[in-house]
Each structure stands twice: as structure tokens, then as C-alpha cells.
Amino acid sequence: MKPRTLITGAAGFIGSNLAHFLLERGEEVYGLDDLSTGSRGNVEDLEKNSGFHFETGSILDEEPLKRLVGTVNSVYHLAAAVGVKYILQRPFESLETNVEGTRNVLRCALLYRKRVLVTSSSEVYGKNPRMPLSEEDDRVLGPTQSSRWSYSGAKALDEFMALAAHRTRGLDVRIARLFNVVGPGQTGRYGMVLPTFVSQALEGRPITVYGDGSQTRTFCHVQDAVEALYAMMQSEKAAGEIINVGGGEEITIRGLAERVKKMLASDSPVSVVSYREAYGEGFDDMPRRVPSLEKAARLLDWRPQRTLDDAIRDTADFISSRKEIT
């Protein structure tokens, strides 16, 4: 019998790529998404496969979630409010989805004793200046008056709940902290930096860098990310563990804009926009955020295989093919 897997957030960028990956490995995949940030277009090709079953619904609605969890062998929990702009514009709804939704997923997994992988975020680390960031490092956050940090708090609470279910009730849980996953399927709709830069470059508009552009990040190709998630789900060593999943090349945001411009042979100028102009008064950001990937290598034998150039090229091909220049 084929393994049966549920993906919450299956119509999202990572969720739809994960669904393709699992179907290619012969799994039967059930997808749930309320389409608040996911796209129906992301599952159109998936629905041509008889092994994929999609439902439009929310993880806040426990009854259909309970039915789906009872049907499958394991759960990838990816559904969440994502994107800085979305979270700043809808802070209450984002908190509700990220906290209550995860609680519901964990309760259903406990009810049926199903293995579950919870996706968390590098935002959990906040402003910790220590680099590279390892899974045991402290969290350093800004004030609660800044909605910027609500996502970090919600994802940390998700982790606390998942670990509590593992330690006190024996639930088979593993947690992936994702660092800037990019690639085909992602758009700039909610402020995602790489597809925004690519869209601007393809259309000849100014490539807008927020802040002064000196802040650095790493970027993980979505295919590397889904391979890491799959390895975590398969590994007994990952039970009860938090594992960073990210890219290996650190680059400034200004450098990323220049890289996109050069690779796409674009005439777009690179312009700088203040955080205040982009997000409003009081926005807080981190000068660096770089993951330690030692634990992933040790427990999963996983390392990112694709380069930042691969991610830029694949993102540009996707946006061009879908005509999603925004």
C-alpha cells in the first residue's frame, strides 16, 4: 500500500513543491489549503495526478482536519500566514492561523498517533547577533508593540507546543526551521524578496532594496528544502529535534539585487527604499541571518546542493512562463 501523507498549506509555494516531490516517490498525497495565501494555480497540475487529493479548507476548522489526519500515515504541517507584508497588514489573523492552527494539527496528530513535521522559521531567532545561528541559540526579540515580532512569537509557540506533545505525550514530532526558501512557484505577492527582484528586473522597473541593502541573508532552493523535509520525516534520528534548513551562500540584499540584474541582463536600476517608507514607522530588521547547517548534515546527511544562481534562474523561468510579473 502506498504511504499516505497530508500536507497542510498544499497550495502554497513550498507545499505544492513538496506534493510534486512526494508524488514522484509514489506516495498518495492529501492537500488542505484555505487559499488565503496559497494559489489554486499551484495545484492545477497536481490535480491531474490520481494520487493527489485536494480540499479547500482551514486548519482552524478541526472536523475536516481530524478526518484527513485520520486518513493518512503522516502530516507535513506547512499551513501558516507568511510574508512580512501580510503579517504586518493582518497581525491578528496571522497569529490566529499560526497558533490555533498548529494546536489543531497537533491535537489531531495526538488523537490518531500520527507522525508530524512542523515547519518553523528562522524568525524564531529574532535579532540574535551570533552567526551562524544554531538550533540551541537564544532568541533575541524586539518589543511587542512592533507587529514585526508577532510572527517570531507565534512560531516559537508552535515549537513549544510540538515539543511539549513529544516530551509529555510521546507524539512523534520533528521541527524544521526554514531560512528564506526560494525558487519556482514563489511570487512577490507578499513581499518575498527574490521573486520581487526578479519580476522587477524582467519588467524593467527599478529593483527596490529595502533599508540600506547591507543586511545579509542566505537563500535555500525549494528543491533542497523539500528534500530536507522528506529526510526529516523519514529519519528516526529527527524525532523530537529542531533542525535548521537553509542555504550556504551569504549575500547582501544589495548584492542580491545586483546579481539578479546581471543574470537577467536587465537595464533596471537598483533603488533604495527606507524601511519607514516600505513598512511604516518602527520596523525592525536584522543586519545578518545565517544558519548553521551542521545538525542537518549530522542527523540527515543533508546539505544544500543547488546554488543561489540556480534559484534565480529557476525563479525567472517560472515567473516568465506564468506571466506573473507584478
Side-chain angles (χ1 to χ4, degrees):
M1 182 180 292
K2 290 182 178 181
R4 290 175 294 178
T5 302
L6 171 64
I7 303 174
T8 70
F13 158 55
I14 301 175
S16 57
N17 275 280
L18 177 61
H20 279 290
F21 182 88
L22 296 178
L23 289 169
E24 288 170 0
R25 275 147 191 80
E27 297 199 17
E28 191 168 0
V29 178
Y30 292 76
L32 180 68
D33 202 300
D34 67 1
L35 304 179
S36 59
T37 56
S39 167
R40 186 80 199 193
N42 286 342
V43 296
E44 285 178 354
D45 287 343
L46 290 165
E47 289 182 303
K48 297 174 184 176
N49 189 314
S50 61
F52 182 73
H53 316 277
F54 181 75
E55 289 191 24
T56 302
S58 173
I59 54 173
L60 297 176
D61 190 348
E62 197 165 348
E63 286 308 311
L65 181 62
K66 187 185 298 183
R67 171 175 48 78
L68 284 167
V69 173
T71 300
V72 300
N73 305 111
S74 58
V75 180
Y76 290 88
H77 175 42
L78 277 69
V82 295
V84 173
K85 285 186 177 179
Y86 184 91
I87 291 159
L88 291 177
Q89 291 168 358
R90 302 172 180 84
F92 185 84
E93 292 84 352
S94 298
L95 284 166
E96 185 178 39
T97 298
N98 292 339
V99 176
E100 294 297 321
T102 298
R103 185 198 66 167
N104 287 344
V105 170
L106 292 172
R107 286 174 63 174
C108 292
L110 279 165
L111 178 65
Y112 295 108
R113 311 306 300 179
K114 299 299 172 70
R115 178 174 292 190
V116 58
L117 184 149
V118 174
T119 51
S120 185
S121 167
S122 62
E123 284 289 306
V124 166
Y125 293 107
K127 299 189 287 185
N128 190 327
R130 175 189 170 103
M131 298 296 154
L133 292 160
S134 68
E135 291 83 352
E136 303 299 323
D137 283 337
D138 291 340
R139 303 176 62 226
V140 181
L141 301 180
T144 56
Q145 290 91 335
S146 173
S147 295
R148 170 73 174 78
W149 301 111
S150 64
Y151 182 70
S152 175
K155 282 300 187 180
L157 186 53
D158 288 352
E159 292 189 12
F160 281 129
M161 287 192 292
L163 292 174
H166 174 75
R167 291 167 181 165
T168 67
R169 301 183 64 180
L171 184 65
D172 188 349
V173 168
R174 49 286 318 278
I175 299 166
R177 281 187 187 154
L178 303 178
F179 283 70
N180 294 308
V181 179
V182 296
Q186 188 178 48
T187 69
R189 183 178 172 193
Y190 297 108
M192 307 307 187
V193 63
L194 181 58
T196 297
F197 284 0
V198 168
S199 293
Q200 290 168 338
L202 288 172
E203 209 171 42
R205 294 183 287 124
I207 302 174
T208 51
V209 173
Y210 294 164
D212 63 9
S214 66
Q215 64 273 35
T216 67
R217 298 292 187 271
T218 65
F219 296 89
C220 182
H221 195 291
V222 66
Q223 288 304 310
D224 281 327
V226 299
E227 288 169 12
L229 297 180
Y230 180 74
M232 286 184 68
M233 186 64 91
Q234 300 304 310
S235 172
E236 298 299 329
K237 295 179 182 178
E241 297 288 348
I242 300 169
I243 301 176
N244 288 340
V245 175
E249 179 183 349
E250 182 178 8
I251 188 171
T252 67
I253 299 302
R254 177 69 186 236
L256 178 65
E258 297 288 357
R259 180 87 68 91
V260 167
K261 176 183 167 112
K262 180 178 179 180
M263 285 190 62
L264 301 185
S266 172
D267 293 328
S268 294
V270 176
S271 65
V272 175
V273 177
S274 70
Y275 285 132
R276 180 177 181 178
E277 184 179 348
Y279 296 119
E281 193 68 45
F283 181 80
D284 206 358
D285 201 15
M286 298 67 58
R288 291 184 74 197
R289 184 173 282 168
V290 179
S292 167
L293 301 177
E294 291 181 6
K295 190 173 184 180
R298 175 168 47 86
L299 293 185
L300 308 175
D301 194 27
W302 176 88
R303 298 167 184 81
Q305 301 299 309
R306 295 156 184 88
T307 66
L308 177 57
D309 287 353
D310 292 332
I312 294 171
R313 190 178 302 109
D314 291 346
T315 300
D317 289 346
F318 169 80
I319 291 174
S320 297
S321 68
R322 297 294 182 95
K323 297 183 176 162
E324 291 194 20
I325 301 175
T326 59

